[in-house]
Amino acid sequence: MTNTTTRVLLGVRGMNREAGEKVAAALLALPGVSRATPDEGQIEVHYDPSHHTVMDLVRAVRSQGFLAGML
């Protein structure tokens, strides 16, 4: 069995770069998330789909107080 990493780009309404670091930290705390790179209004996430779905990632962003969805 091989480890596959999936990339998803999430749009995050109202997120600036400073808040992006907080959101990235919340995502990186999830098992299977290997990278979370924030930018103005979006965040690129690399994750193992055997651990999480995209909705799990969106919920982690929402737990930080932002609306999010796939781009």
Side-chain angles (χ1 to χ4, degrees):
M1 183 184 266
T2 60
N3 278 345
T4 26
T5 300
T6 300
R7 174 194 169 271
V8 67
L9 187 61
L10 300 176
V12 185
R13 184 172 291 172
M15 183 183 75
N16 59 24
R17 288 190 183 230
E18 183 179 326
E21 295 302 322
K22 178 181 167 190
V23 171
L27 288 164
L28 288 167
L30 298 174
V33 174
S34 58
R35 187 165 57 169
T37 308
D39 199 357
E40 193 81 22
Q42 63 187 26
I43 191 162
E44 179 182 349
V45 185
H46 294 254
Y47 70 102
D48 181 347
S50 69
H51 283 86
H52 297 287
T53 66
V54 172
M55 268 316 296
D56 294 329
L57 304 176
V58 168
R59 283 186 199 100
V61 173
R62 288 180 179 168
S63 76
Q64 299 303 305
F66 294 96
L67 294 177
M70 280 183 61
L71 291 178

